[in-house]
Amino acid sequence: MQQGKFITLEGIDGAGKSTHLTWLENFLNSKGIDVVTTREPGGTAFGEQLRALLLDPRQRMHAETETLLMFAARREHLDKIILPSLNRGDWVISDRFTDASFAYQGGGRGVSSDKLQILEQWVQGSFQPDLTLYFDVPIETARQRVQLVKAADRFEQEQDEFFRQVRAAYLQRAQQFPERIHLIDASQPLHVVAAALECIVQEVLFN
Ligand code: TMP
């Protein structure tokens, strides 16, 4: 059924995903491809309300509540945006998807992989992105970038150790799924990152 390709972007806060998302969208448009860009948590009206709760620094919640809400938002996102777009033949670029749950809730909060895998199976079955671009940056670089942009949300307020665990979990997943997850050194200048991106997208999705 699925005709379009599903691309996800991942990285710790401050890795520069948004800039690269815009670049990638323009690149695909220049090849005549219709692209839907979206994000997690969010992407639907309902999911955006969950996002507001999840990112609000005043909210306190159990790590498993946080996990369940991430997957609840994802279920809506798949149903209302991702799958219908792909079935129509559009390509979808999502700023984060399930790898973020394994990295943030698994690595950062310590929720077990077994529980995350059950939710993954429940919410998406065997469905996976065609390509995941993981933008890797040292914690220090990411922290500096985040501080420059805006007031910190509930995740951005976490300490360096949290982000070290999140990054370690991302790196581990990139090793575990080398066919799908491509690591890009995002501490390099923008034009170098863009060139790396183009190379990967050409090789994986146009060959
Ligand atoms: P963003 O600011 O990059 O859009 O991401 C929102 C935050 O949500 C970010 O700090 C990572 C976090 N997040 C999780 O903790 N688990 C998830 O499954 C997703 C999708 C995002």
Side-chain angles (χ1 to χ4, degrees):
M1 228 344 215
Q2 179 184 335
Q3 292 164 9
K5 303 270 188 204
F6 182 39
I7 307 173
T8 60
L9 272 52
E10 298 285 354
I12 58 172
D13 298 85
K17 282 179 291 103
S18 325
T19 312
H20 304 309
L21 190 150
T22 307
W23 183 92
L24 185 58
E25 184 183 10
N26 291 336
F27 175 73
L28 293 175
N29 285 156
S30 75
K31 297 206 166 251
I33 295 168
D34 289 326
V35 180
V36 172
T37 60
T38 184
R39 67 175 180 181
E40 288 206 351
T44 63
F46 184 76
E48 289 294 326
Q49 293 204 25
L50 289 180
R51 179 188 177 93
L53 275 174
L54 282 159
L55 268 56
D56 181 350
R58 293 166 306 183
Q59 299 293 339
R60 296 277 173 275
M61 65 188 84
H62 191 284
E64 291 183 355
T65 308
E66 184 181 282
T67 307
L68 290 164
L69 292 179
M70 291 291 179
F71 276 95
R74 182 161 300 132
R75 187 70 193 84
E76 281 302 299
H77 196 203
L78 278 162
D79 187 49
K80 304 271 177 345
I81 306 286
I82 299 175
L83 296 176
S85 304
L86 294 174
N87 292 340
R88 232 182 10 242
D90 289 350
W91 288 33
V92 176
I93 309 177
S94 184
D95 187 343
R96 300 192 186 281
F97 191 60
T98 307
D99 294 304
S101 302
F102 280 91
Y104 281 78
Q105 282 65 54
R109 305 275 194 232
V111 174
S112 78
S113 283
D114 287 353
K115 287 184 175 166
L116 292 167
Q117 273 163 12
I118 290 168
L119 289 173
E120 179 184 38
Q121 177 61 34
W122 191 19
V123 164
Q124 66 196 73
S126 60
F127 177 78
Q128 290 292 338
D130 294 290
L131 170 66
T132 297
L133 299 160
Y134 165 57
F135 296 96
D136 188 54
V137 278
I139 309 297
E140 298 68 30
T141 314
R143 300 296 265 172
Q144 278 163 10
R145 287 183 186 168
V146 167
Q147 277 158 15
L148 287 177
V149 183
K150 58 177 173 68
D153 65 33
R154 202 168 61 82
F155 290 97
E156 291 161 351
Q157 282 188 351
E158 292 291 340
Q159 302 300 308
D160 286 1
E161 186 48 29
F162 175 84
F163 288 101
R164 257 187 275 286
Q165 303 287 354
V166 173
R167 185 184 184 202
Y170 268 130
L171 289 168
Q172 197 193 341
R173 276 187 82 73
Q175 272 193 342
Q176 200 181 345
F177 303 105
E179 300 274 300
R180 173 173 67 84
I181 306 181
H182 290 250
L183 184 150
I184 296 169
D185 176 357
S187 60
Q188 304 176 97
L190 274 184
H191 69 279
V192 180
V193 177
L197 253 178
E198 181 170 349
C199 218
I200 293 168
V201 172
Q202 282 284 6
E203 187 190 314
V204 178
L205 299 176
F206 291 105
N207 276 338

